[in-house]
Amino acid sequence: MGIIEKIKEIEAEMARTQKNKATEYHLGQLKAKIAKLRTQLLEPPKGSSGGGEGFEVTKFGHGRVALIGFPSVGKSTPLTMLTGTHSEAASYEFTTLTCIPGIIHYNDTKIQLLDLPGIIEGASEGKGRGRQVIAVAKSSDIVLMVLDASKSEGHRQILTKELEAVGLRLNKRPPQIYFKKKKTGGISFNSTLPLTHVDEKLCYQILHEYKIHNAEILFREDATVDDLIDVIERNRKYMKCVYVYNKIDVIGIDDVDRLARQPNSVVISCN
């Protein structure tokens, strides 16, 4: 059974399992198993040099911004308008097939803007060259998530889920958990406040899943199981994300007003 099949099987088991006090330990272990499998999935295949055509883009300037979005939401037009770099734009999907860089000159700074191929559902499983797209996004300083204003909510949730599956945490701060592996001494578990999501037994089970039997762990906030797994994995990237709602000319003014008032959001129409 392949890694993707194993992940789907565990996800199906989690969906079948009722969430209550009796099952929280089992669900915690399943979440740890999925996190480990996703990390394996993102490792480049053995014998490959990694990357792919158009994805080896050298960092340039004072900052790197990744344009991420579904196919045909209008990512190429802002790149052309802001940087003067021509990126093929058309009304059909998958016009951009490689990563196209451009430079924004703002005051005395140079900002590298990368137009990435449209992400589709399943990008975290490597579909649609999603693995390369996500690798470039991880090397950026900020993400511009371009969304079609007429179908923004569903797309935003799917994209956020895909990026979270590969270790990108948008507009979040790292969990306040101190974690250090040791050679001996067993597991030392402490917290500076009452915990409502994780207890000592659940923490031990998750560490056991990672074959960690000697460690020091200190919770400085009421963190969740997912936060604990993120800290153990140590491969998460916490990034700022701005949500750009394009094509606002096709929706009503009330919807434009609602989208514009959401946190970290801006509304535009390329036309």
Side-chain angles (χ1 to χ4, degrees), residues 215-244:
E216 193 178 331
I217 191 152
L218 171 65
F219 283 78
R220 295 195 181 101
E221 68 176 9
D222 188 14
T224 63
V225 173
D226 297 305
D227 293 332
L228 174 60
I229 291 168
D230 283 354
V231 170
I232 295 168
E233 283 281 347
R234 295 191 176 193
N235 61 355
R236 308 310 193 212
K237 180 150 187 196
Y238 296 84
M239 296 179 76
K240 295 285 184 193
C241 176
V242 176
Y243 303 99
V244 181

Side-chain angles (χ1 to χ4, degrees), residues 122-133:
S124 57
E125 297 169 3
K127 290 181 189 171
R129 304 191 75 183
R131 207 172 295 182
Q132 294 107 308
V133 173

Side-chain angles (χ1 to χ4, degrees), residues 55 71-72 75-77 79 87-90 92-100 114-119 128-129 133:
F55 284 83
S72 200
K75 299 189 305 300
S76 301
T77 310
L79 179 87
S87 179
E88 186 70 34
Y92 52 84
E93 296 192 348
F94 299 105
T95 323
T96 305
L97 297 173
T98 61
C99 176
I100 298 167
L114 300 178
D115 181 14
L116 297 172
I119 285 188
R129 304 191 75 183
V133 173

Side-chain angles (χ1 to χ4, degrees), residues 40-79:
Q40 284 177 41
L41 194 61
L42 291 173
E43 289 166 0
K46 283 175 184 167
S48 79
S49 58
E53 186 199 342
F55 284 83
E56 295 300 313
V57 181
T58 307
K59 266 200 170 187
F60 178 84
H62 301 91
R64 174 181 266 196
V65 180
L67 278 168
I68 281 182
F70 271 87
S72 200
V73 293
K75 299 189 305 300
S76 301
T77 310
L79 179 87

